Amino acid sequence: MKRPPAMADVAARAGVSHQTVSRVLNAHPSVRPETRERVLAAIAELGYRRNSAARALVTARSATVGVLTVGSAHFGPASTVLATEAALRNEGYFVSTSSLAGYDSRSAAEALGRLVDQGVDGVVAVAPLDDVARAIDDVAPPCPVVVVAARQDIPATVHEQYVYVDQRRGAQLATEHLLDLGHTHLVHLAGPAGWFDASERTAAFLAATAARGARADVVDAEGWSARSGYELGLRLADAAREPGGPTAFFASNDLIAMGLLRALWERGLSVPGDVSVVGFDDIEGAGYLVPALTTVRQPFEAVGRAAVRALLDEWASPGAGDGSRVAAVIAPELVVRGSTAQVTPAR
């Protein structure tokens, strides 16, 4: 064959109509399984690739989805972006990424504007910051938008959909695990202000400790990095040595927990012998620390799939649904490892 294979060639090889091939390519449910397999076999045999430019002319859509992100510096958002890109590719869409120059509303509006100017069919915003969410509210893009952020105060007037991991539930699991081990004085190393995830985790920590009558302290880690946890840990170590001092620490993410573990080790405190530590995210390698880190696992792949599904549903039935702006809430999982243990009787 001198030219690239066309849809008509696939139809002829599979012994079906042009319309049937189109239905298979668009995952239409009306195609019988055996017919679908025959068409897919013909596609593989001929090496057929869909002409996206021609498809865009026919459908008046670009087959491109924009992904707005804070960048690759933070594990949670970066993992969500990768999962979203994979889910979009699986559905046959191209991805155009636009990163924020800063964490303010102006940067968010500019990054969102760059995607809209490209004529994307929709946007997935993976930037769980208060200023970003409000910027999207104000811009009101002319295409469906799905925001991955645990936002609770969603105005009824906005049109974007929200998908997120239940941050409060995850922090509740982490805190109650420490309480169940007998710890009565806990410290939460909180993530930075302005991040939905950080505020949700702090709120759940305070609610869980208050419900059990435990002493709870919240300290600002002033960032998401291991350095932040390390520097804060050096200051907290002395308090942990005092009678009645904290015996358990809940870090707002695993990197903060890693820095904290290093600082406690340098100060001669045993984990979990003297104090217990819990993180959040379950980053790659968390189970290979010494000790292995107890943490809350976020199912990022499920988040990516849910975000894409929300876009697909909006394209299929614009404005449909019960009016709720929350498309999906994904459940987290507590992963118990060696960094937590029953509180020692001496404490």
Side-chain angles (χ1 to χ4, degrees):
M1 185 175 292
K2 300 296 183 182
R3 59 175 173 76
M7 191 181 295
D9 300 313
V10 175
R13 180 63 61 91
V16 299
S17 67
H18 183 284
Q19 184 179 32
T20 298
V21 176
S22 178
R23 286 176 175 173
V24 171
L25 290 172
N26 290 288
H28 198 283
S30 67
V31 182
R32 290 182 298 179
E34 59 270 22
T35 302
R36 185 183 305 277
E37 291 301 319
R38 197 161 68 249
V39 171
L40 292 175
I43 289 173
E45 183 179 349
L46 294 173
Y48 170 76
R49 297 179 66 86
R50 177 179 291 188
N51 188 326
S52 299
R55 180 189 181 197
L57 288 174
V58 173
T59 63
R61 287 169 56 178
S62 66
T64 300
V65 173
V67 175
L68 179 68
T69 174
V70 294
S72 60
H74 304 290
F75 177 80
S79 298
T80 304
V81 167
L82 291 175
T84 301
E85 290 178 339
L88 286 168
R89 287 195 302 270
N90 188 56
E91 294 291 340
Y93 288 91
F94 297 104
V95 178
S96 179
T97 303
S98 183
S99 299
L100 298 179
Y103 294 159
D104 57 287
S105 57
R106 179 178 178 179
S107 296
E110 290 175 349
L112 183 59
R114 289 194 295 271
L115 293 174
V116 172
D117 290 345
Q118 294 175 29
V120 296
D121 295 331
V123 173
V124 177
V126 187
L129 294 128
D130 182 78
D131 283 346
V132 174
R134 299 191 188 284
I136 295 173
D137 294 346
D138 295 337
V139 172
C143 61
V145 176
V146 175
V147 184
V148 181
R151 184 181 185 183
Q152 304 303 311
D153 62 332
I154 306 173
T157 54
V158 305
H159 297 287
E160 58 264 25
Q161 297 282 332
Y162 279 78
V163 169
Y164 56 87
V165 174
D166 191 339
Q167 302 295 320
R168 289 203 182 203
R169 178 56 179 161
Q172 179 185 13
L173 290 171
T175 306
E176 290 182 346
H177 170 64
L178 294 170
L179 294 168
D180 289 344
L181 291 173
H183 298 280
T184 57
H185 184 181
L186 290 73
V187 175
H188 177 49
L189 284 66
W195 289 72
F196 290 118
D197 293 355
S199 60
E200 288 292 288
R201 293 168 195 174
T202 298
F205 169 78
L206 291 173
T209 49
R212 298 282 193 95
R215 178 177 173 182
D217 299 324
V218 176
V219 292
D220 186 0
E222 300 179 354
W224 293 109
S225 69
R227 176 180 289 275
S228 298
Y230 173 75
E231 293 176 348
L232 189 55
L234 293 177
R235 301 200 300 270
L236 292 171
D238 289 339
R241 292 181 181 279
E242 297 294 327
T247 60
F249 297 91
F250 168 36
S252 198
N253 77 346
D254 287 349
L255 289 177
I256 294 174
M258 287 171 58
L260 173 65
L261 287 174
R262 172 62 184 249
L264 295 174
W265 174 78
E266 288 187 4
R267 290 293 189 262
L269 288 169
S270 170
V271 178
D274 296 318
V275 295
S276 289
V277 175
V278 177
F280 205 108
D281 280 338
D282 196 25
I283 64 174
E284 183 176 356
Y288 296 92
L289 298 172
V290 180
L293 182 64
T294 294
T295 186
V296 177
R297 177 178 296 157
Q298 298 203 72
F300 296 112
E301 290 185 1
V303 174
R305 291 194 300 268
V308 173
R309 173 49 53 189
L311 276 182
L312 295 174
D313 290 345
E314 182 63 22
W315 288 328
S317 303
D322 59 3
S324 171
R325 297 293 88 198
V326 179
V329 179
I330 313 298
E333 175 190 358
L334 178 68
V335 181
V336 179
R337 298 192 179 106
S339 65
T340 53
Q342 200 80 23
V343 66
T344 58
R347 300 299 301 273

